[in-house]
Amino acid sequence: MTTAYARRRVAPAPPAPRRSPVGPVLALLWGGAAAVIALWWLDTGSVVGAAGWLTGAGRIAGLLCGYACAVLVGLMARVPLLERRIGTDRVTRWHAMAGRYTICLLVAHVVLILLGYAAQDGSSFVDETLTVVLDYPEMLKATAGTVILFAVGITSARAVRHRVSHEFWFYTHLLTYAAVFLAFGHQLALGSDLVGSRPAQVAWYTLYLGVAALVVWFRILAPVRLNRRHRLRVDSVHREAPGVYSVVVRGRRLDEMGARPGQFLRWRFLTDGMRWTSTPYSLSAPPRPDLLRITVKALGDHSAAVGLLRPGTRVWAEGPYGALTADRQSAHKSLLVAGGVGITPLRALFETLPGDVTLLYRARTAEDLALGAELETVARWRGAKVLYALNGPHGRRPDLTAETLRAEVPDLDAHDVYLCGPHGFARDLYEALRAAGVPDHRIHHESFEL
């Protein structure tokens, strides 16, 4: 494996860092929310009485909820601009935040509108609820969509998420599409801000149809095209360390896939017990025109089964995703810090990242150093340095503090730092790096706890 992937070549000079689209994307999203509020403002005259205030607040919440639903689905569409330039982990956090906003706005919309209608009609909250649900057009479908959204929200809560299987969470999450579809009709049938305004209706249709097109293209058509073109199959499986296996995947014209060191794909192995689970694994070596490689640690049922894959097993992949690439580099020197199986994307970067590179690899014991021989080979031919942080006697963990990091890398604040590992490890290292004087914009990290 070492000779197959440690190719001798001179790393190029660091490229100019590409500007992140985070600012423009956030401005676009918040600008859309402001436009939605402006739609209510322009369509609303004077607000009189408690019923008017309740109904008005409910309309605002409903409009914002409808807009948030579109944003929520758009962030699920795996658009390359977001996934590869901003980073899957950040987009996932945005999606989670948008989900919380959507549920809160949905609750506010339902409660405030029903209270306002009840005040107008002089009826009880329960009677008004039954009237709206049973007699108003499109409301039965909207009610079903609301129930589904609440179910998705409950399964996405942290306390529940860690108690259900990934498959259950994933397929429940996909019901978001059904919920948004069911709720869409009542927005146009009952939304007073949309019913009387043709431009507003056109804008609303454009928003939803545009998001639907993104989902269909990037989540359905693009993966089908990728897998039909590249015909991926397992080529071989190799043990790297206790519970750690590398899987070499062979395919056609893989250079056309556009995968880059530091990125990951979502992998589905079409064999018994694995075909229904799609899991993100990083490339652990620079991609080749005919081969890709991932390295997986057995942390659950799916990852444990990876070591048992047979050559010839068909593979369904989606991607590439992730922004932990050379595009983030802004200095001539780089420090790569890996914790455990977090070595996988950094192994690929260690071979290809331009400039002077140092790798710090944290593991419990020397036996746990997956891909260690390859790292040493790469370090020799490119003149790089590999440092190890292993447990001492009686399992004592090494101190990776600002002081120890500066001792190993004296000009640390002049480095870009690429960081990958478990959440707690990454959090502690980030704090140590900031204390050591590394600017925030030079600390590059992606979480793969998706």
Side-chain angles (χ1 to χ4, degrees):
M1 296 298 289
T2 299
T3 56
Y5 283 95
R7 291 169 289 171
R8 297 177 180 273
R9 61 185 181 188
V10 178
R18 299 173 69 183
R19 184 176 179 181
S20 170
V22 168
V25 170
L26 287 177
L28 179 64
L29 295 179
W30 286 111
V36 167
I37 295 176
L39 174 64
W40 173 85
W41 180 268
L42 294 174
D43 189 58
T44 302
S46 59
V47 180
V48 180
W53 282 103
L54 289 169
T55 303
R59 285 169 54 198
I60 293 175
L63 284 169
L64 287 174
C65 182
Y67 173 71
C69 283
V71 171
L72 189 69
V73 173
L75 292 174
M76 294 171 64
R78 298 176 184 169
V79 179
L81 172 67
L82 304 180
E83 300 281 338
R84 302 175 190 174
R85 296 287 306 282
I86 294 176
T88 300
D89 62 335
R90 180 176 287 187
V91 174
T92 300
R93 291 195 296 271
W94 288 359
H95 172 72
M97 183 181 298
R100 290 190 287 271
Y101 286 161
T102 301
I103 295 299
C104 290
L105 288 167
L106 180 59
V107 172
H109 169 63
V110 171
V111 172
L112 291 171
I113 281 289
L114 290 175
L115 287 174
Y117 286 178
Q120 283 180 341
D121 298 339
S123 62
S124 69
F125 183 83
V126 174
D127 289 341
E128 192 65 34
T129 300
L130 292 174
T131 299
V132 169
V133 171
L134 298 177
D135 297 340
Y136 282 39
E138 298 287 338
M139 276 308 302
L140 283 176
K141 290 193 296 184
T143 302
T146 299
V147 172
I148 292 173
L149 274 180
F150 279 133
V152 172
I154 291 171
T155 58
S156 299
R158 188 181 299 272
V160 178
R161 172 71 181 88
H162 295 295
R163 288 174 169 79
V164 299
S165 68
H166 174 79
E167 292 80 2
F168 179 83
W169 171 84
F170 176 77
Y171 289 111
T172 301
H173 220 62
L174 289 181
L175 292 175
T176 301
Y177 298 128
V180 173
F181 174 78
L182 290 170
F184 180 74
H186 100 284
Q187 298 176 45
L188 295 172
L190 298 176
S192 57
D193 302 289
L194 299 174
V195 170
S197 173
R198 189 64 177 173
Q201 292 178 10
V202 171
W204 213 249
Y205 269 113
T206 301
L207 173 65
Y208 272 78
L209 290 176
V211 168
L214 292 177
V215 171
V216 170
W217 180 256
F218 291 114
R219 295 210 63 162
I220 300 175
L221 299 181
V224 169
R225 177 174 176 267
L226 181 150
N227 287 278
R228 285 179 59 86
R229 171 183 290 185
H230 300 298
R231 304 288 182 178
L232 302 174
R233 289 185 181 271
V234 173
D235 183 77
S236 57
V237 180
H238 306 265
R239 182 181 182 275
E240 304 286 1
V244 179
Y245 292 87
S246 285
V247 180
V248 178
V249 176
R250 183 175 294 276
R252 303 183 305 181
R253 298 179 295 175
L254 298 183
D255 50 330
E256 298 177 8
M257 185 182 292
R260 303 180 59 193
Q263 291 188 313
F264 69 95
L265 292 89
R266 287 179 168 87
W267 303 89
R268 191 187 303 272
F269 299 100
L270 304 184
T271 186
D272 291 344
M274 301 183 73
R275 67 178 68 248
W276 299 111
T277 301
S278 175
T279 306
Y281 295 128
S282 298
L283 297 173
S284 63
R288 291 170 44 174
D290 59 339
L291 296 176
L292 300 173
R293 190 184 72 176
I294 59 175
T295 301
V296 180
K297 184 173 183 178
L299 298 174
D301 293 340
H302 186 274
S303 54
V306 167
L308 303 177
L309 288 170
R310 294 177 177 272
T313 300
R314 293 178 59 194
V315 180
W316 182 275
E318 299 176 37
Y321 304 117
L324 197 69
T325 67
D327 285 344
R328 290 191 174 186
Q329 193 177 31
S330 61
H332 182 75
K333 298 180 180 181
S334 298
L335 171 65
L336 313 181
V337 186
V341 77
I343 189 62
T344 53
L346 301 190
R347 154 64 184 92
L349 284 171
F350 188 52
E351 182 176 333
T352 58
L353 200 63
D356 297 333
V357 181
T358 300
L359 172 67
L360 174 60
Y361 190 176
R362 165 77 180 100
R364 284 194 293 269
T365 67
E367 190 180 26
D368 295 318
L369 294 172
L371 309 174
E374 290 185 18
L375 297 173
E376 295 290 347
T377 300
V378 173
R380 283 195 298 272
W381 68 255
R382 72 171 296 171
K385 184 190 300 184
V386 181
L387 306 173
Y388 300 104
L390 306 177
N391 288 359
H394 310 294
R396 185 177 181 276
R397 299 167 62 89
D399 293 326
L400 296 179
T401 63
E403 291 72 22
T404 58
L405 291 172
R406 277 197 299 258
E408 295 289 354
V409 187
D411 56 344
L412 181 59
D413 57 347
H415 285 65
D416 277 295
V417 180
Y418 288 77
L419 174 60
C420 189
H423 177 72
F425 169 84
R427 181 192 61 237
D428 294 343
L429 256 295
Y430 174 83
E431 294 174 355
L433 290 166
R434 294 292 289 125
V438 181
D440 181 74
H441 69 275
R442 285 190 176 173
I443 302 175
H444 315 303
H445 169 250
E446 273 191 326
S447 170
F448 294 91
E449 297 176 358
L450 305 181

